[in-house]
Amino acid sequence: MKKSKLFSSIGVVSAAALTLVACGKNSNNADTNDAKTASKFPQEMPEKEAKQGGVVKYAIETDSPFTGIFSNELYTTATDAKVMEPGNESLFDTDDNYQITNKGPASLKIDKKNKTVSITIKKGVKWSDGKQVIAKDVEYPYEIMGNKATKSQRYTSQFEFIKGMKEYHEGKAKSISGIEMPDGENGLKVVIHYTELKPGMYNSGNGYFWECAEPYHYLKDVPFKNLESSDKVRKDPLFFGPYQVQKIVRGQSVTWVPNKYYWRGKPKLDKIVSQVVSTNSTSQAIKSHKFDIAEVINTQWKQVKDTKDVTFIAKVPLSYSYLGFKVGKWDAKTSKNVMNPKSKMNNKALRQAIGYAMNIEAVNKRYTSGLTFQVPTLIPAQFGDYFNKDVKGFSYDLKKANQILDKAGYKKKGKWRVQPNGKPLKIKLLAAQGDSSREPIILNYIQQWHKIGLNVGLVGGRLAEANSFFDKIQHDDPSVDMFMAGWSLSSEPSPAGLYDEGAAFNNERFVTPENTKLLKEIDSQKAFDHKYRVEKFHEWQKYMFDQAYVIPTNNSYNISAVNKKLTGYSLRPSKGNSAWYNVGYVK
């Protein structure tokens, strides 16, 4: 289970679990009780002796075909990540605090004095074709991400602390000088040389070194520009995890069988079938036991909570959904976000007013049984003292929203407000399709914005198909003024990979000197002092709340319904990298 940042059209990894419905009256104590129930659910199935054999059906909840980009360096959607889970193992295991251990496929050594990070692969870690994972397989992903021909959105300026990475990315060098393979390409050790080390490097998901490998021997003949569309990525990918691909039905399902070369031992199941199910069909699929493992859509909790022969396990994921404002474009030549100061949405007052007009808490309580809840900042509370509890977020306040707009010069002309320069103001919102509750809730928010005189409408007059949604956001479609999306976060809290000037995932395209300064301070040498780093995290959250380029909206209990006959399935971070290896049927 990967720990990298993932883009989602309708919330977070549990996708439709965070889709909402139209606002209505509170449903009293049942909401609170359901949330309390979820908070007491275990994070994993009971440990019992497992037998060999059996088939597990795994639900992939989405209303669009999955894109099927089976490359860690090239995929961007949470759905693809979920489809890949049975085979897609990271180089590193972690503890429950996401700190890297040496128990996984590779070990890590950080040398502060020499500014190096060493990765050593264990002997016997093999691709599903039987080839040993080697040093070149660890180095190759940096080439994939760094070469502009792949158009990888995984490349960020964080990688440019690796010596020679920037030169390679800009086409000035044919190799990355700072990545050394001391025993040759076929050896098991990689040493990465940095201009400076970063305080988050001990945690998985830090963004300064990559935690995945790619089979160089298998992919080396595919030109970088063709990699994403190649059959070796889309139809016949190789993994070194417990299962390997047997069959892909494009966009619909992947059948997995054991990787007989798997380094930890023989997986317990005969087969895993990852299969798409529409969000509107999920609750019925759970009740009829169509799947052995399925995430619960929180708006459908009441329909499934009494289902027999399932165990509900749950956690609050490192995730949030948000409303983002387009204020610029991505410059592919310089690999930087470029903000347009004259952008329609580049007015702090307008963005703040939009935030205060959203009735988020009322919607959550009424329609998700309290299982989805508002979040105030862009750093989740699970990150402990890095979370700034003094930032209260955007509470529902129409009076305040109106006052902010009045003061900023957004005067009413008839029903709608105009821009401070007197020109008409029409705002286009992009939101993706979801379960049956998705459209009513989006229309509810539009209605709230209409109440403060803002002429907001949907792009194209309707909700977007998910793949079209991603395309419009990532390619800065001029028809989009603001959009509702979500992030599944990496397990190191640095926000640089999402909001830096050089981050392709900075989909809002905002770049300010203060934001750049704070992000640099969060990951600076001084930030090896925990107290200093906490202080800078708090400053950044306060700044982002004030500027409102991104308004965090929700997180959610991530509840899974698991066949009671299974053991080994876990949501614990320490089990994440080996989760599918441990899954089996009880003896």
Side-chain angles (χ1 to χ4, degrees), residues 182-424:
D183 302 319
E185 292 186 357
N186 294 317
L188 300 179
K189 188 174 183 180
V190 173
V191 180
I192 306 173
H193 297 261
Y194 289 84
T195 53
E196 61 178 81
L197 297 187
K198 296 294 181 177
M201 283 181 166
Y202 295 94
N203 265 39
S204 173
N206 61 73
Y208 291 98
F209 54 82
W210 196 238
E211 298 178 40
C212 306
E214 289 291 353
Y216 179 72
H217 70 278
Y218 185 62
L219 298 175
K220 64 182 179 181
D221 295 329
V222 182
F224 283 120
K225 66 178 182 179
N226 298 335
L227 202 55
E228 185 179 307
S229 60
S230 73
D231 284 354
K232 289 183 177 182
V233 165
R234 297 290 189 117
K235 290 183 179 179
D236 302 298
L238 293 185
F239 297 99
F240 61 80
Y243 292 88
Q244 67 181 61
V245 172
Q246 182 188 52
K247 178 185 175 185
I248 296 176
V249 178
R250 190 172 179 179
Q252 296 302 313
S253 69
V254 177
T255 302
W256 301 85
V257 293
N259 169 11
K260 63 182 179 181
Y261 303 104
Y262 185 55
W263 70 282
R264 292 186 209 259
K266 187 178 181 182
K268 297 171 181 66
L269 300 169
D270 291 330
K271 197 175 286 186
I272 298 167
V273 181
S274 304
Q275 186 175 336
V276 164
V277 58
S278 75
T279 54
N280 286 326
S281 302
T282 301
S283 61
Q284 186 55 45
I286 290 172
K287 287 193 291 184
S288 62
H289 303 96
K290 184 177 179 180
F291 295 98
D292 298 293
I293 302 173
E295 286 184 13
V296 174
I297 294 174
N298 288 352
T299 55
Q300 301 172 8
W301 169 245
K302 283 180 167 43
Q303 299 169 41
V304 303
K305 67 178 184 178
D306 296 323
T307 304
K308 290 182 167 47
D309 297 322
V310 301
T311 297
F312 292 108
I313 62 173
K315 72 171 184 176
V316 177
L318 292 172
S319 316
Y320 58 81
S321 53
Y322 66 91
L323 177 68
F325 299 93
K326 279 285 186 185
V327 292
K329 290 187 175 181
W330 174 255
D331 186 337
K333 288 183 180 178
T334 62
S335 295
K336 287 184 178 180
N337 294 290
V338 180
M339 192 156 77
N340 174 11
K342 295 180 180 178
S343 166
K344 185 193 304 182
M345 307 312 292
N346 206 356
N347 186 304
K348 180 171 79 171
L350 176 60
R351 299 191 299 267
Q352 288 179 337
I354 286 170
Y356 282 116
M358 297 177 75
N359 53 347
I360 297 167
E361 282 197 343
V363 169
N364 289 342
K365 286 177 183 176
R366 172 62 181 85
Y367 291 98
T368 71
S369 304
L371 297 173
T372 295
F373 48 89
Q374 187 169 2
V375 291
T377 88
L378 298 172
I379 299 297
Q382 298 98 298
F383 283 127
D385 51 3
Y386 290 128
F387 167 68
N388 187 346
K389 63 180 184 296
D390 295 328
V391 175
K392 301 305 179 187
F394 287 90
S395 54
Y396 181 51
D397 193 334
L398 286 183
K399 184 179 178 182
K400 189 170 186 176
N402 276 311
Q403 288 173 344
I404 290 170
L405 291 172
D406 291 342
K407 188 176 178 181
Y410 287 91
K411 296 177 181 177
K412 271 194 175 182
K413 277 194 177 179
K415 184 179 181 181
W416 306 119
R417 293 179 184 269
V418 295
Q419 297 180 62
N421 61 11
K423 292 182 179 180

Side-chain angles (χ1 to χ4, degrees), residues 381 383-388 530 534-535 537-538 541:
F383 283 127
D385 51 3
Y386 290 128
F387 167 68
N388 187 346
H530 182 71
V534 165
E535 184 183 303
F537 262 102
H538 286 202
Q541 287 166 81

Side-chain angles (χ1 to χ4, degrees), residues 448-489:
Q448 295 301 317
W449 294 319
H450 286 180
K451 287 179 182 177
I452 58 172
L454 294 179
N455 186 4
V456 179
L458 287 168
V459 173
R462 61 182 183 225
L463 297 180
E465 184 273 331
N467 293 325
S468 170
F469 172 93
F470 292 128
D471 187 68
K472 286 182 188 297
I473 295 301
Q474 292 163 351
H475 293 96
D476 302 318
D477 190 301
S479 68
V480 179
D481 297 316
M482 59 184 189
F483 60 95
M484 301 191 82
W487 288 118
S488 171
L489 299 172

Side-chain angles (χ1 to χ4, degrees), residues 481-501:
D481 297 316
M482 59 184 189
F483 60 95
M484 301 191 82
W487 288 118
S488 171
L489 299 172
S490 62
S491 38
E492 205 293 311
S494 171
L498 294 178
Y499 299 115
D500 196 15
E501 180 182 21

